[in-house]
Amino acid sequence: MRFSGLKILTEGLTGNRGWTPHWRDPAPKPEYDVIIIGGGGHGLATAYYLAKNHGITNVAVLEKGYLGGGNVGRNTTIVRANYFLPGNSEFYSHSLKLWENLEQDLNYNVMLSQRGQVLLSHSDGQSDALIRRGNAMRNQGDDAEWISPEYMRKNWPYLNFDSPRFPIYGGLMQRRAGTARHDAVAWGYARGADQRGVDLIQNCEVTGIDIENGVVKGVQTTRGAIRAGKVGIVTAGRSGQVAAMAGMRLPIESHVLQAFVTEGLKPCLDTVISFGMGHFYISQSDKGGLVFGGDLDMYASYAQRGNLPMVEHVAEAAMTLMPMIGKAKILRSWGGIMDMTPDGSPIIDRTDTDGLFIDCGWCYGGFKAVPGSGYAFAHLMATGTPHKSAERLRLDRFRTGRGLMDEEGTGAQHNLH
Amino acid sequence: MRLPCPICGERDVREFTYKGHAVALDRPAPNAGDAAWEDYVHLRENPAGETRELWYHGGGCGAWIVVRRNTVTHEVLGAELASEVAE
Amino acid sequence: MRLSQGGLIDRAKPLRFSFDGKGYQGFAGDTLASALLANDVRLVGRSFKYHRPRGILTADSNEPNALMTIRRAVDEPNVRATTQELYEGLEARSQNAWPALGFDLLGMNDLLAPFLGAGFYYKTFMWPKSFWERVYEPFIRRAAGLGALSKAPDRGRYDKAFAHCDLLVIGGGPAGLMAALVAGRAGADVILADEDTRLGGRLLAEREEIDGGPALDWVEEATAELRALPNVRLMTRTTVTGAYDGGTYGALERVSQHLASPAGHAPIETFWRIVARRAILAAGAHERPIAFPNNDRPGVMLASAVRAYVNRWGVAPGKRVAVFGQGADAERTARDLRAAGVELAEVITDRVTGTNGRLGLEEILVPDGDGARGINCDCLAVAGGWNPAVHLTCHMGARPVWRDDLAAFVPAEGAVPGLTPAGACAGAFSTAACLSGGARVAGAILEDLGLSAPKPDLPEAEDGGYTITPIWHVEGKGRAWLDFQNDVTVKDVKQSATEGFRSVEHMKRYTTQGMATDQGKNSNVAALAVLADATGRTIPETGTTTFRPPYTPINIAALGAGALDKGFAPERHLTSHAASVARGAPMIEAGLWYRPSYFPAPGEQTWREACDREVTMVRQAVGVADVSTLGKIDIQGPDAGKFLDFVYTNTFSTLKEGRVRYGLMLREDGHVMDDGTTARLGAQQYLMTTTTAAAGQVMAHLDWVRQALMPGADVQIASVTEHWAQFAVAGPKAGAVLASVLDDWAPGDWPFMSCGAVSVSGVAGRLFRISFSGEQGYEIAVPARFGESLFRLLVAQAEALGGGPYGMEALNVLRIEKGFITHAEIHGRVTAFDIGMGRMVSAKKDCVGKTMSERPGLSGPEREQMVGLKPAGSVKQLTGGAHLFEAGARATAANSQGYVTSVGFSPTLGCFLGQGFLRNGRARHGETVRMVDHVRGVEAMCEVCDPVFYDPEGGRMRG
């Protein structure tokens, strides 16, 4: 079924009786060409691009819960391409370009809203560092511009310009950045993959990875053994546990990142504002909720929930930056499990096991990466060579020290990001 | 979350900062080889369950402590001074 | 309509208020909702999507419909009229309706409802591509949202506090009161928190007897007894909002929201972190509505709310009231209405199949043979059964458990460690069961805590059983609402199942059911039942979504209390702060510190003029700068040298007493952490200096190394940053300035990189012959209490010699001229090799970071190495953050060879100078490269140089 305004019109006039499932609910077959472990955003996108770009449709996506139930359904929906180190720079640039055509490509409205994102600067030194970033973005062919405090006063007069703890010196704006409807991204890819023949199998937990003589043969699941010549692990948040089934240890520690949404409010914030000094960023959703977040709770966790110190810190940052926000009420807080790598950047690579591939380590940047990650991982799994946008996202960079992507400069070792 | 500092007693987590798994106590010899250092600095068991980890009581006594904690439930099972574990 | 008698209101205290500009009157004790109903105001809001008329549904914080904007110092949107206490002059406005609540143009959305079903927006608005952001999305955004923020800064007083107790009792109904009594009498430290304005819970809203008298008498007695106990703290108007790890609970106290303005210094709200050894959840239960066709008209109300308005507030919510429901709740409602003299239309136990009325209920339809019969009424009390308030038990990840006999979820056992449910929230719905449950749970906890509790005499109370045959949904013509605010109907849930959204999480996300401000408290269970039915599963098989904190929404101002303006982070002031400000120096942030940017002289128009003058002053005469922000760490003990050898790349154990050495420190991953000078003050005492930015990080690191990596070493360390005020005195006349202020001192005794004790007007100080400017330089330190006087003295002496104070701008230019680095260069991604200090990593010993710094990727010609940069073309300006390319290369990511980290105009050399990193840069001195700053629109050709531009031999520094 093709979605369109006309389809909605005809269905509406005929009692909405013609709608069908967005995807099938198939039982697993005994064998596939490719198995994707993990039915989150990245796994579903990988399956979609395997089918669409490479014609590989005998694919199963195995999901232990429901599709899109991981981080793609519990993030702050920000899309951007404002990285500055080689590796991240070309990858996120490619991903943003895919976002810009996603709705037409998927025939699914993921509500990409290129509202712009600004990174605030609070000193001359920060300005220089942000401008270095902006220049890297421009070198990459993406947009970046410097906006002045005067511009901000005009557009966001309620920011604290007059008595701030950290005065605003300016900001780096990417106008093509913005937000998207997070669940729709997962559903759109799921529907697209399903339409091309991919089996999306929910409530199917992988319990083992079958390897013989260094070659992957398939997986064990709660719904039986499934054979496949190629297996991709795309289980951010649980990467360590799944990799352990293949005898691997990863350079990853799992952390909790909290996020927040207020009750619905009439439009008051037309862009994404990031307040680095306060580890705080905020946008407004189409429904009117102010969606915001902060830093990691900073302890290893698989609990998908956090504690009060970070809740309070985020609210404090909100109050010092935009004191008009005081009477917005926090409606819900939640947490996601972040795959934190030592340098804060992701991994898309083959493993030492033939036919076994891994896509992990998205830290707290996985949502905007969904299209690019699926595209590049599908390319790697289909062709055996990395896609050019993801050539540097290698697992061995920590061992060699080559091509580390420590955007924050806090160190290519754990718990400094 | 509250952590039992062996020196100060039970305190709110906001007094502490986190370093990660207690593997950091087992620093290899300089010539232990690439694999040992890769294990030490980068690779992690990252257990979903009980773990041993390092916290710094920077908002208190300045002690580094080794905390036993469950990463799924956040239950804190005990703590000792890193200096005593290291010795 | 106000009843002629009854209710817990003070009819002697009338209060005036307004709603949408129209004036009304209520009484003290009213909520805004009860007062509106007393004035026959039924239409109070509009729904989110279809802008349908909405009336008051509940009498508590679950209210999904009666959300209003209240005029305060800063207007507050989305206030529940059902919990807002009335005060004199209260002004309320309706929301989400234009031009008026009674005539809302967006009500046309309702006519389009066939096209706006669940998830319709995922299927359209894609063509033409540019229209989503330009046309569709702006329209949707304006139509959505509830109230509006005023956009004025909220500078009202909010507070945060900690509290500790043995037992936190959450909820002050019969179970909570009884639990608090038992624990309080046993001597436990008890906090009893309840979101209502007074204790009593459901007893405030029911006509019941306890021990043969009115239940309210018992509530009063219990409250009085608790209030008299010094170990019990009663916190009304306090909602426990979240359960967190380690027995920590968040709670919001509405201190002044019931007043026209806060009294004295009282805050508006206080956010509490309550740390409790144990807790009892006595949060009661919530009645749920029933989904039947057109069940959303104003006047359709929960039966429990109808009883609350009648009994507690003396208000008839309608002139003629019908009741829909089964069993005790329906009977009790009919009884109370009759007792209050309200006309009872009919009690319907079977089905209501429809309603009629414009902007409010006028008639309900019930089956009659093959057709339907209308019953005139303007209020329908709906009793759909009760949901235990399990919410807090879900906050740590546990899912509630379905109980078929109650047709409801109850808390999972051990859901929150240390928290035990009691009373209705545990599924015990009778008053007697609540009283005994509260007592029993409290007794068990006391025993656990080692306190003895005498067995209480349980008061006698109603002990009716609870039976239910749930009616989740009545079929019929027309839409049946589940989620009143978000406009989710039974049809939407069914459609979502048809479209494959069969998981309850998918259904919630696809339909938005449960995502309104009540977070599904009114709709979750019924929606789940409809989904279970549509997918042929039982409710437990279908599962449930969870509840996350907060229990009720919290103003960000309360959670962020204290952080307004400068309150966000501590402000660290130098001892010379006031003196610098007095000289007109702009103070700029340096981490948490404030430092003087420059010291303007008369006639100077720009900072550059001041900066140039100060640089020249230091180069030609003498300058004074406060450098106390640098971290200072005192390191003592027999193993101090060994310790430093391990944390620094170079060797300090061989440093002679009275000497200073520059040191470089790595992280264990082989990258540079920090640099600075360390002085050997005595055989077993060193004083380490860190950069301002890394002072805290280095201290934690040293503590780590000492305790964890060198546990046997005999060394002690302490941060003394705040203990000493330290000033740089630099320039050819620095020796003369010091000679004028130090006792018995001559510069000839103090060679470069020496240190030692000095006396300043009799005050013991320390002197270090070090330089960050490239000139003859000293840093003099005195105990912080003498800092301000020493600064004034040094500046006066310097001025007498043609010098004066200098600020951060000049300090930066001086160090760039000399090729010294800051954290702009050692930004966390560079190695010792990159900054040309590879040879400082001693081959003779181990140190932190050494092994990992030897990884192949961390050195070599592929690395971007530090270089100096000088303009070499017609454009004379350099800019920080620009990228570097080969001359003639296009400015693309693939061609980028490096970047500029620091720039400054050198008055000494008469041109801009820069520092930066360039691939294989040390081998490229003399080459011309292209600098491109797309963002600032600057492009210049530069010459690659050695970073040391000024006095490369160091004669001036040593001389």
Side-chain angles (χ1 to χ4, degrees):
Chain A
M1 179 188 297
R2 193 167 170 76
F3 291 154
S4 66
L6 186 65
K7 178 74 187 162
I8 285 187
L9 200 62
T10 53
E11 279 299 324
L13 293 171
T14 55
N16 284 303
R17 293 194 195 91
W19 298 114
T20 54
H22 289 207
W23 46 79
R24 296 164 295 128
D25 187 16
K29 295 189 287 187
E31 181 163 8
Y32 290 91
D33 293 340
V34 177
I35 285 173
I36 303 295
I37 307 175
H42 292 238
L44 293 166
T46 303
Y48 174 78
Y49 290 116
L50 276 172
K52 178 173 182 253
N53 292 356
H54 305 282
I56 301 174
T57 58
N58 187 24
V59 176
V61 176
L62 308 183
E63 168 54 48
K64 75 171 176 181
Y66 59 97
L67 296 179
N71 289 335
V72 75
R74 54 184 75 245
N75 58 73
T76 46
T77 81
I78 293 166
V79 172
R80 58 188 165 92
N82 59 358
Y83 289 73
F84 75 105
L85 293 177
N88 285 331
S89 181
E90 62 265 28
F91 175 81
Y92 286 103
S93 177
H94 179 243
S95 195
L96 181 56
K97 290 189 184 88
L98 293 173
W99 273 109
E100 288 175 321
N101 286 304
L102 203 54
E103 279 136 14
Q104 287 67 34
D105 189 13
L106 297 177
N107 178 230
Y108 211 94
N109 189 358
V110 303
M111 303 181 202
L112 176 68
S113 175
Q114 292 182 292
R115 318 164 60 69
Q117 187 212 15
V118 61
L119 306 170
L120 300 178
S121 165
H122 306 278
S123 70
D124 288 335
Q126 281 179 18
S127 297
D128 281 357
L130 285 174
I131 284 171
R132 178 188 168 196
R133 177 182 298 272
N135 282 318
M137 293 154 66
R138 296 276 288 269
N139 289 339
Q140 191 62 52
D142 292 318
D143 72 300
E145 67 188 275
W146 192 252
I147 58 172
S148 64
E150 292 70 40
Y151 175 97
M152 295 188 205
R153 270 182 194 272
K154 206 170 133 226
N155 285 276
W156 313 300
Y158 46 73
L159 296 187
N160 191 345
F161 296 102
D162 298 325
S163 53
R165 176 64 181 85
F166 299 109
I168 299 170
Y169 278 55
L172 185 70
M173 170 75 108
Q174 181 172 50
R175 295 196 188 271
R176 284 166 63 231
T179 57
R181 172 82 183 99
H182 56 354
D183 291 322
V185 178
W187 300 340
Y189 275 118
R191 178 166 164 270
D194 175 84
Q195 284 175 341
R196 286 166 175 77
V198 171
D199 281 357
L200 308 176
I201 301 165
Q202 304 183 68
N203 301 308
C204 179
E205 183 171 359
V206 170
T207 54
I209 297 175
D210 297 332
I211 298 166
E212 288 170 24
N213 303 318
V215 181
V216 76
K217 296 294 180 190
V219 299
Q220 300 291 323
T221 78
T222 49
R223 295 173 72 174
I226 309 175
R227 290 190 303 279
K230 288 180 181 176
V231 174
I233 301 173
V234 203
T235 55
R238 287 280 173 173
S239 298
Q241 279 72 47
V242 179
M245 295 176 194
M248 294 171 68
R249 279 200 301 162
L250 298 174
I252 283 177
E253 194 168 88
S254 299
H255 280 252
V256 57
L257 182 68
Q258 298 193 69
F260 309 85
V261 64
T262 68
E263 296 177 343
L265 295 159
K266 291 296 176 194
C268 61
L269 180 61
D270 63 358
T271 194
V272 184
I273 294 182
S274 294
F275 172 41
M277 286 299 278
H279 299 287
F280 172 78
Y281 57 94
I282 185 164
S283 67
Q284 189 169 21
S285 76
D286 284 343
K287 278 185 70 184
L290 294 166
V291 181
F292 55 98
D295 207 352
L296 298 175
D297 263 34
M298 285 293 175
Y299 46 81
S301 171
Y302 288 92
Q304 294 192 327
R305 62 184 178 80
N307 275 291
L308 279 175
M310 190 47 65
V311 178
E312 294 174 33
H313 181 80
V314 163
E316 287 164 7
M319 286 306 290
T320 193
L321 179 68
M322 41 174 73
M324 69 95 179
I325 204 175
K327 288 194 165 57
K329 294 175 174 55
I330 293 181
L331 178 61
R332 186 168 70 248
S333 65
W334 66 96
I337 311 171
M338 307 292 116
D339 269 12
M340 297 305 298
T341 60
D343 65 355
S345 292
I347 295 162
I348 298 179
D349 209 345
R350 53 176 66 250
T351 69
D352 291 338
T353 301
D354 238 20
L356 182 66
F357 301 83
I358 190 158
D359 176 308
C360 64
W362 292 97
C363 300
Y364 26 65
F367 178 67
K368 61 187 168 290
V370 165
S373 167
Y375 199 99
F377 198 43
H379 188 277
L380 175 68
M381 290 191 75
T383 67
T385 53
H387 185 256
K388 65 180 181 345
S389 68
E391 275 172 338
R392 295 170 188 262
L393 309 184
R394 309 305 289 272
L395 197 46
D396 69 357
R397 65 180 185 267
F398 304 105
R399 186 166 47 76
T400 64
R402 248 180 226 115
L404 292 169
M405 290 170 279
D406 176 11
E407 294 267 339
E408 293 190 13
T410 44
Q413 61 184 47
H414 287 288
N415 298 305
L416 296 169
H417 291 270
Chain B
M1 192 186 295
R2 296 173 67 78
L3 299 179
C5 174
I7 293 173
C8 306
E10 190 184 275
R11 296 297 180 92
D12 193 285
V13 72
R14 67 189 81 206
E15 294 183 9
F16 299 83
T17 49
Y18 186 68
K19 187 180 176 75
H21 196 271
V23 67
L25 289 167
D26 307 322
R27 190 172 185 272
N31 56 0
D34 288 358
W37 277 91
E38 169 87 335
D39 278 0
Y40 178 65
V41 178
H42 297 133
L43 300 182
R44 290 292 179 265
E45 294 289 342
N46 197 22
E50 193 177 324
T51 191
R52 289 172 74 240
E53 57 191 15
L54 291 156
W55 293 82
Y56 178 54
H57 198 187
C61 60
W64 280 90
I65 63 176
V66 180
V67 175
R68 281 194 307 123
R69 193 178 60 91
N70 188 305
T71 59
V72 176
T73 64
H74 293 175
E75 186 185 4
V76 176
L77 304 158
E80 39 194 339
L81 290 173
S83 57
E84 289 176 2
V85 177
E87 261 179 9
Chain C
M1 186 180 64
R2 185 76 69 182
L3 298 168
S4 57
Q5 55 181 9
L8 299 171
I9 48 170
D10 187 348
R11 291 175 194 254
K13 283 193 191 150
L15 299 171
R16 282 166 303 169
F17 72 102
S18 73
F19 175 59
D20 276 346
K22 192 167 173 215
Y24 299 99
Q25 187 187 294
F27 293 114
D30 262 328
T31 63
L32 178 53
S34 68
L36 285 167
L37 288 171
N39 286 280
D40 298 326
V41 177
R42 293 200 298 165
L43 174 63
V44 295
R46 290 275 174 170
S47 66
F48 194 86
K49 184 160 142 189
Y50 301 137
H51 287 246
R52 297 261 296 185
R54 287 286 178 261
I56 294 163
L57 180 73
T58 73
D60 58 29
S61 62
N62 281 5
E63 178 60 35
N65 295 337
L67 271 56
M68 299 173 180
T69 298
I70 305 293
R71 178 161 182 173
R72 305 198 196 280
V74 172
D75 286 0
E76 180 165 357
N78 301 351
V79 174
R80 280 72 174 156
T82 46
T83 55
Q84 174 61 52
E85 293 169 63
L86 202 63
Y87 53 78
E88 176 64 25
L90 184 149
E91 292 177 44
R93 289 197 313 275
S94 61
Q95 306 178 153
N96 203 32
W98 187 86
L101 192 56
F103 177 71
D104 179 5
L105 275 179
L106 281 171
M108 73 184 176
N109 284 1
D110 198 31
L111 300 173
L112 301 173
F115 313 108
L116 308 182
F120 78 96
Y121 29 73
Y122 299 123
K123 303 168 184 166
T124 184
F125 302 135
M126 290 176 277
W127 184 89
K129 192 177 161 183
S130 62
F131 267 40
W132 169 248
E133 277 149 306
R134 289 202 203 141
V135 181
Y136 306 129
E137 192 190 33
F139 176 79
I140 290 173
R141 281 177 179 264
R142 274 198 295 276
L146 297 165
L149 287 175
S150 73
K151 299 190 190 175
D154 185 0
R155 298 193 185 281
R157 180 189 299 269
Y158 290 81
D159 206 355
K160 283 199 279 197
F162 281 99
H164 297 256
C165 60
D166 293 327
L167 177 66
L168 170 65
V169 180
I170 303 163
L177 282 171
M178 203 62 223
L181 282 171
V182 169
R185 287 169 188 163
D189 281 328
V190 176
I191 293 176
L192 172 58
D194 193 289
E195 68 175 343
D196 207 335
T197 56
R198 52 197 293 173
L199 298 173
R202 270 310 296 173
L203 296 176
L204 299 172
E206 306 285 4
R207 281 170 192 253
E208 267 195 44
E209 293 197 340
I210 291 183
D211 274 347
L216 287 179
D217 290 354
W218 179 82
V219 170
E220 288 302 316
E221 281 166 33
T223 305
E225 182 181 346
L226 289 169
R227 191 163 284 133
L229 287 170
N231 51 321
V232 174
R233 178 175 193 159
L234 302 181
M235 298 178 73
T236 51
R237 298 189 176 96
T238 303
T239 307
V240 175
T241 54
Y244 299 91
D245 289 310
T248 305
Y249 295 84
L252 183 72
E253 181 181 8
R254 289 168 299 279
V255 183
S256 307
Q257 297 281 43
H258 59 298
L259 304 172
S261 61
H265 290 287
I268 297 167
E269 294 176 330
T270 298
F271 184 75
W272 291 88
R273 305 86 144 193
I274 302 175
V275 180
R277 295 170 69 195
R278 293 286 192 285
I280 294 177
L281 183 66
H286 301 128
E287 198 168 31
R288 57 196 180 209
I290 298 172
F292 55 88
N294 292 317
N295 60 336
D296 67 327
R297 289 190 207 285
V300 178
M301 196 180 279
L302 293 174
S304 56
V306 168
R307 295 199 300 279
Y309 290 115
V310 169
N311 296 329
R312 179 169 175 182
W313 288 291
V315 170
K319 294 184 179 65
R320 200 174 135 82
V321 182
V323 178
F324 175 27
Q326 303 163 338
D329 289 310
E331 287 163 22
R332 182 193 281 261
T333 309
R335 180 198 69 192
D336 290 1
L337 286 166
R338 275 193 215 103
V342 181
E343 185 182 352
L344 179 68
E346 199 164 322
V347 177
I348 300 106
T349 55
D350 178 20
R351 281 178 296 162
V352 174
T353 55
T355 69
N356 284 312
R358 209 187 76 84
L359 301 181
L361 185 68
E362 290 164 16
E363 178 190 52
I364 60 171
L365 301 172
V366 297
D368 185 19
D370 290 338
R373 166 173 69 90
I375 301 171
N376 283 329
C377 59
D378 57 357
C379 176
L380 176 67
V382 180
W386 293 83
N387 290 328
V390 300
H391 313 81
L392 284 171
T393 69
C394 300
H395 285 183
M396 290 174 72
R399 302 267 161 153
V401 181
W402 182 255
R403 255 178 70 177
D404 254 334
D405 60 329
L406 300 178
F409 286 101
V410 294
E413 195 150 330
V416 171
L419 176 78
T420 314
C425 75
F429 290 157
S430 76
T431 306
C434 287
L435 292 167
S436 65
R440 187 180 61 249
V441 169
I445 285 172
L446 291 168
E447 199 168 316
D448 242 23
L449 295 176
L451 293 165
S452 67
K455 211 166 167 58
D457 289 336
L458 284 176
E460 269 179 42
E462 166 271 324
D463 198 11
Y466 179 76
T467 54
I468 180 166
T469 311
I471 310 169
W472 301 119
H473 163 220
V474 181
E475 294 284 350
K477 195 171 174 298
R479 288 166 289 167
W481 266 258
L482 292 162
D483 189 320
F484 293 96
Q485 187 184 102
N486 273 2
D487 281 322
V488 180
T489 64
V490 168
K491 206 170 178 179
D492 290 316
V493 173
K494 287 182 174 172
Q495 186 189 325
S496 111
T498 304
E499 295 194 79
F501 294 92
R502 296 161 51 88
S503 153
V504 62
E505 284 283 355
H506 277 158
M507 180 277 286
K508 164 187 151 187
R509 288 158 187 267
Y510 195 61
T511 63
T512 75
Q513 178 276 319
M515 296 170 107
T517 57
D518 68 345
Q519 290 287 284
K521 285 179 189 146
N522 292 296
S523 60
N524 270 4
V525 176
L528 186 62
V530 172
L531 181 67
D533 189 43
T535 55
R537 295 173 290 184
T538 65
I539 287 175
E541 280 167 356
T542 310
T544 179
T545 56
T546 192
F547 292 100
R548 294 187 176 276
Y551 174 70
T552 52
I554 307 174
N555 277 325
I556 292 176
L559 272 172
L564 270 177
D565 302 338
K566 312 268 189 200
F568 178 60
E571 294 182 278
R572 299 178 80 177
H573 284 182
L574 295 161
T575 57
S576 63
H577 187 91
S580 298
V581 170
R583 284 176 163 269
M587 303 302 285
I588 56 167
E589 294 75 14
L592 297 178
W593 290 96
Y594 287 87
R595 301 185 75 177
S597 180
Y598 56 92
F599 293 85
E604 286 172 349
Q605 304 294 317
T606 66
W607 70 268
R608 256 291 299 285
E609 287 176 70
C611 176
D612 289 357
R613 172 183 50 78
E614 288 173 12
V615 170
T616 306
M617 175 185 84
V618 172
R619 294 272 177 246
Q620 295 180 355
V622 61
V624 176
D626 193 331
V627 293
S628 310
T629 62
L630 297 180
K632 299 179 262 314
I633 300 172
D634 198 339
I635 301 166
Q636 298 191 36
D639 293 329
K642 195 172 92 178
F643 175 75
L644 287 168
D645 286 351
F646 189 58
V647 295
Y648 276 130
T649 60
N650 47 334
T651 307
F652 281 79
S653 52
T654 56
L655 184 67
K656 291 191 171 53
E657 283 178 49
R659 300 292 297 173
V660 184
R661 185 168 284 168
Y662 174 78
L664 192 67
M665 206 179 276
L666 306 182
R667 298 187 308 241
E668 198 66 280
D669 70 339
H671 294 80
V672 177
M673 175 191 285
D674 200 35
D675 69 345
T677 57
T678 286
R680 187 160 196 173
L681 300 179
Q684 298 189 5
Q685 185 181 18
Y686 293 79
L687 185 74
M688 175 187 285
T689 309
T690 77
T691 61
T692 302
Q697 182 194 359
V698 170
M699 185 63 202
H701 176 66
L702 297 191
D703 266 336
W704 161 251
V705 172
R706 185 179 69 85
Q707 296 172 40
L709 302 183
M710 300 180 72
D714 190 353
V715 58
Q716 301 300 323
I717 56 182
S719 168
V720 294
T721 304
E722 311 251 332
H723 304 48
W724 296 87
Q726 191 156 318
F727 303 96
V729 182
K733 295 181 183 171
V737 168
L738 285 177
S740 73
V741 301
L742 297 180
D743 307 329
D744 307 320
W745 187 86
D749 303 336
W750 292 77
F752 184 56
M753 298 303 262
S754 63
C755 68
V758 289
S759 168
V760 197
S761 308
V763 172
R766 291 168 176 169
L767 188 69
F768 309 88
R769 173 80 196 275
I770 53 180
S771 173
F772 196 53
S773 62
E775 297 299 331
Q776 186 188 128
Y778 301 85
E779 290 187 9
I780 178 169
V782 290
R785 64 187 180 281
F786 300 110
E788 181 170 8
S789 359
L790 180 58
F791 179 74
R792 290 182 194 277
L793 183 61
L794 288 168
V795 168
Q797 295 301 323
E799 282 178 333
L801 297 171
Y806 65 103
M808 294 294 290
E809 296 294 349
L811 191 145
N812 193 42
V813 171
L814 290 162
R815 69 98 189 167
I816 291 173
E817 289 179 340
K818 182 62 187 171
F820 289 143
I821 56 175
T822 67
H823 274 283
E825 284 70 44
I826 46 173
H827 50 52
R829 290 173 291 268
V830 305
T831 63
F833 172 87
D834 298 340
I835 52 172
M837 295 188 189
R839 273 178 299 187
M840 272 184 70
V841 185
S842 168
K844 294 182 194 152
K845 62 175 184 74
D846 186 20
C847 71
V848 173
K850 181 178 172 185
T851 305
M852 291 307 263
S853 76
E854 291 162 357
R855 283 181 284 173
L858 296 189
S859 59
E862 285 300 304
R863 297 288 298 181
E864 290 169 343
Q865 302 161 8
M866 189 178 150
V867 294
L869 296 162
K870 234 168 26 181
S874 55
V875 175
K876 302 297 183 193
Q877 190 192 358
L878 302 181
T879 57
H883 282 237
L884 302 173
F885 304 88
E886 283 180 11
R890 281 182 57 227
T892 64
N895 291 339
S896 176
Q897 299 228 318
Y899 54 94
V900 182
T901 51
S902 299
V903 301
F905 180 80
S906 165
T908 315
L909 301 180
C911 66
F912 266 93
L913 300 177
Q915 293 180 347
F917 287 82
L918 180 67
R919 189 173 305 162
N920 200 26
R922 280 196 292 279
R924 296 168 68 175
H925 290 181
E927 186 181 326
T928 301
V929 295
R930 182 178 175 216
M931 184 204 88
V932 180
D933 189 335
H934 299 285
V935 173
R936 290 194 183 92
V938 176
E939 180 178 340
M941 301 307 289
C942 338
E943 184 192 334
V944 179
C945 336
D946 186 278
V948 186
F949 295 98
Y950 178 75
D951 187 28
E953 296 76 29
R956 296 182 67 87
M957 196 159 70
R958 290 190 173 81

